[in-house]
Amino acid sequence: MGSFRGSVVALLCFNVLVGFVFGIGVNWGTQDTHALPPASVVKMLKDNGIQKVKLFDADYTILNALRKSGLQVMVGIPNEMLYGLANSVAAAENWVSKNISSHVSNGVDIRYAAVGNEPLLSTLNGSFLTTIFPALQNIQSALIKAGLSNQVKVTIPLNADVYDSGTSTKPSDGDFRADTKDLMVNIVKFLSDNGAPFTVNIYPFISLYNDPSFPAEYAFFDGYSSPIDDNGKIYQNVFDANHDTLVWSLQKNGFNNLSIIVGEIGWPTDGDRNANLQYAQRFNQGFMTRIKNNVGTPMRPGPVDAYLFSLVDEDAKSIQPGNFERHWGLFYFDGTPKYQLSLGTANALVGVSGVQYLAKKWCVLSPSANLDDPQVPLSVSYACERADCTSLGYETSCGNLDIKGNISYAFNSYYQVHDQLDTACKFPNLSAVTTSDPSTGDCKFRIMIEGDYSSSSVNGRAGALGKPLCSILFVLLFTFL
Ligand SMILES: *[C@@H]1O[C@H](CO)[C@@H](O)[C@H](O)[C@H]1NC(C)=O
Ligand SMILES: *[C@@H]1O[C@H](CO)[C@@H](O)[C@H](O)[C@H]1NC(C)=O
Ligand SMILES: *[C@@H]1O[C@H](CO)[C@@H](O)[C@H](O)[C@H]1NC(C)=O
Ligand SMILES: *[C@@H]1O[C@H](CO)[C@@H](O)[C@H](O)[C@H]1NC(C)=O
Ligand SMILES: *[C@@H]1O[C@H](CO)[C@@H](O)[C@H](O)[C@H]1NC(C)=O
């Protein structure tokens, strides 16, 4: 890729630069009970030709592993920090000094500081309305003071519900949501004045999840029998329509040329009837093929700058949005690829190498257990609350298990998350350790990887709570077709 200045120029006038390639990025989240070694993940990213990573906070060990890797980095600031950063210039300067400058001088190629994560989601009830803009301004001032403002641009990863097209289906009717419009115009002006991009997260999966009558075809990139004709611009998929609703919202407020980053886009593989390997492969490959061919959208033909969501499944994420939330990865928790995907270089994904697993043993329902034991439901819910049962349920990977299989799955998940400790397979009179793999078909009883059990240090991520709301626009776009 060209120099950073070259990229900025390209960002500003990418309409005319046919052939410029941004390269694909990925979101690297860390809400897991057992993390893969960051250095092995960085090697895997490079093996796959991934060029950019987006982090949700300034994780020291990850940033350290990214030194001199050639990967470009977006470093996030969690919403919980916005209040402090909004109210103290010194706090913002400390953040930049500790979490940007020191890493830049160590050879980490940081390009963006992402202030907050979907801070204006309507489900957050305006919690960050008064802090997001001053926090953005303070971080920008701190970057200027640190002499880094040409190299590191500020941005705010926003949910797609900050704009909509009202009751219309047409992107050209788009504008910022009424309750945040004044704030959004101020933010956008500030980004524009500082040569910074608008970052938006777009989720066609959620459209389908929230609305059973949403046409699945419109969520993918293979064409749609009832496209939207918006004054001659034809919309065959909800990604284009959503993206261009943003373009129109920007244009209507006087910002024709602001560059746009797609901060999150992807498809989960489990935990819901529409979350499966086939759909995820179809969506992500459809998206990647457009990225590789610099197709763009009807309003912004040309390269799209995007970060896939996400890299590896995170088994400790909040499942408030739905059970699918722990299954967004291109890779399973252990770094093995889920399906064939061509990101640009090779046709298949390369997994993380050298992963160390715990012993080949599982905790299951004991053959002598009495299913009428009143401890059964209590034990299962105890295990599921403290581990991960999101692959159980209607049309999920383990949805066909019988009641015994369900109980075993729950016990094993608890046992693996707790590092196969003897005490983690002591459900009274109910559980037993086995060395024969209980997996059947697509339903995998996993063996945990080695690594710290770290759920106590799992970072909160408010954005995850509101994904369903992001889809309001998609639903609206469709409802009035
Ligand atoms: C740097 O980032 C980390 C992770 O988000 C955070 O915990 C820490 O407080 C930040 N340091 C400063 C000085 O703000
Ligand atoms: C937002 O308000 C709703 C309804 O009052 C409440 O259920 C929800 O917990 C609130 N969310 C946050 C993040 O405060
Ligand atoms: C957008 O860019 C075009 C071409 O570079 C330029 O002619 C136009 O004035 C710009 N518009 C705004 C609003 O900056
Ligand atoms: C297994 O557990 C899932 C999720 O808790 C539940 O929906 C399903 O009905 C259970 N299956 C049986 C056979 O009990
Ligand atoms: C286990 O089962 C035995 C007899 O079947 C019973 O006496 C004992 O109380 C049970 N233990 C627990 C902890 O439930």
Side-chain angles (χ1 to χ4, degrees):
M1 292 307 95
S3 70
F4 178 69
R5 277 190 189 79
S7 310
V8 170
V9 171
L11 280 166
L12 293 175
C13 53
F14 65 16
N15 279 338
V16 297
L17 277 179
V18 180
F20 181 87
V21 182
F22 283 102
I24 193 66
V26 290
N27 282 272
W28 183 348
T30 54
Q31 297 187 60
D32 41 36
T33 63
H34 292 69
L36 290 160
S40 309
V41 175
V42 169
K43 178 180 180 300
M44 176 269 267
L45 293 168
K46 295 172 71 176
D47 288 345
N48 286 296
I50 291 165
Q51 284 151 344
K52 303 173 294 188
V53 291
K54 178 167 167 283
L55 308 177
F56 292 96
D57 67 7
D59 186 303
Y60 181 84
T61 52
I62 290 181
L63 283 162
N64 208 35
L66 286 162
R67 288 172 61 183
K68 303 188 169 76
S69 63
L71 286 149
Q72 300 178 6
V73 185
M74 181 184 292
V75 179
I77 298 176
N79 288 341
E80 296 70 36
M81 294 186 73
L82 295 178
Y83 181 86
L85 296 169
N87 287 292
S88 162
V89 171
E93 288 173 358
N94 283 336
W95 188 86
V96 166
S97 161
K98 177 103 192 324
N99 287 325
I100 300 285
S101 307
S102 64
H103 293 293
V104 168
S105 26
N106 270 332
V108 185
D109 187 5
I110 299 177
R111 299 297 178 106
Y112 299 103
V115 183
N117 186 44
E118 301 187 340
L120 299 178
L121 264 180
S122 25
T123 38
L124 295 177
N125 304 338
S127 307
F128 304 104
L129 268 181
T130 56
T131 50
I132 184 62
F133 189 35
L136 179 74
Q137 290 170 304
N138 285 346
I139 292 293
Q140 173 66 13
S141 303
L143 286 168
I144 292 171
K145 195 169 172 188
L148 288 170
S149 60
N150 286 330
Q151 186 177 341
V152 181
K153 293 295 177 186
V154 286
T155 190
I156 304 174
L158 288 155
N159 42 289
D161 78 340
V162 292
Y163 52 85
D164 60 41
S165 52
T167 56
S168 157
T169 59
K170 293 185 174 165
S172 60
D173 288 321
D175 202 348
F176 293 114
R177 200 174 77 210
D179 64 311
T180 57
K181 176 156 173 166
D182 293 345
L183 175 61
M184 281 309 301
V185 170
N186 286 333
I187 287 173
V188 168
K189 180 171 189 320
F190 187 80
L191 294 174
S192 175
D193 288 348
N194 289 288
F198 191 106
T199 300
V200 63
N201 299 340
I202 297 181
Y203 278 107
F205 166 77
I206 302 291
S207 310
L208 205 50
Y209 178 73
N210 280 358
D211 178 4
S213 67
F214 188 91
E217 297 302 305
Y218 195 51
F220 297 98
F221 300 99
D222 312 310
Y224 176 46
S225 53
S226 319
I228 294 174
D229 182 342
D230 188 7
N231 302 314
K233 300 228 185 297
I234 307 299
Y235 289 90
Q236 308 243 29
N237 64 77
V238 72
F239 168 78
D240 280 352
N242 186 293
H243 180 279
D244 283 0
T245 304
L246 169 60
V247 174
W248 277 103
S249 305
L250 292 169
Q251 196 157 306
K252 226 164 263 179
N253 290 288
F255 303 97
N256 294 8
N257 292 346
L258 196 69
S259 57
I260 296 174
I261 291 177
V262 177
E264 296 182 12
I265 183 157
W267 200 281
T269 54
D270 206 354
D272 179 64
R273 53 189 292 270
N274 289 312
N276 54 55
L277 297 170
Q278 291 72 24
Y279 274 11
Q281 202 271 350
R282 181 178 170 195
F283 181 84
N284 283 328
Q285 191 61 70
F287 185 73
M288 280 313 304
T289 301
R290 290 164 52 104
I291 290 279
K292 281 189 284 183
N293 295 330
N294 292 332
V295 171
T297 66
M299 287 295 287
R300 291 259 178 115
V304 171
D305 191 5
Y307 294 78
L308 298 177
F309 192 87
S310 65
L311 189 57
V312 175
D313 282 349
E314 295 165 75
D315 64 352
K317 285 190 82 173
S318 163
I319 51 169
Q320 193 272 338
N323 281 346
F324 57 83
E325 195 62 22
R326 293 179 179 165
H327 303 278
W328 287 100
L330 300 175
F331 297 84
Y332 291 107
F333 72 103
D334 60 353
T336 50
K338 291 182 179 174
Y339 44 84
Q340 289 270 106
L341 183 67
S342 169
L343 292 179
T345 45
N347 278 328
L349 293 173
V350 180
V352 175
S353 51
V355 176
Q356 302 290 314
Y357 292 85
L358 302 182
K360 279 211 158 95
K361 52 183 186 172
W362 296 262
C363 178
V364 293
L365 182 71
S366 143
S368 62
N370 170 9
L371 286 184
D372 297 329
D373 187 327
Q375 287 300 316
V376 169
L378 298 173
S379 300
V380 168
S381 49
Y382 181 91
C384 287
E385 277 161 26
R386 289 160 183 80
D388 179 24
C389 295
T390 56
S391 297
L392 297 176
Y394 180 62
E395 289 192 32
T396 60
S397 65
C398 294
N400 291 329
L401 291 179
D402 60 11
I403 180 71
K404 289 181 178 174
N406 263 4
I407 299 165
S408 289
Y409 189 94
F411 287 176
N412 184 58
S413 181
Y414 182 83
Y415 180 60
Q416 302 296 337
V417 160
H418 292 86
D419 294 324
Q420 299 186 351
L421 289 174
D422 288 343
T423 52
C425 193
K426 287 266 156 60
F427 296 95
N429 283 357
L430 294 175
S431 59
V433 171
T434 177
T435 53
S436 103
D437 188 349
S439 303
T440 53
D442 289 341
C443 176
K444 303 288 181 232
F445 281 61
R446 66 185 184 178
I447 291 175
M448 191 38 83
I449 56 172
E450 284 184 3
D452 291 339
Y453 170 65
S454 58
S455 70
S456 57
S457 66
V458 157
N459 303 296
R461 188 162 91 73
L465 293 177
K467 295 253 167 61
L469 262 287
C470 305
S471 65
I472 282 177
L473 172 70
F474 305 142
V475 173
L476 282 178
L477 277 173
F478 170 64
T479 306
F480 298 93
L481 279 179

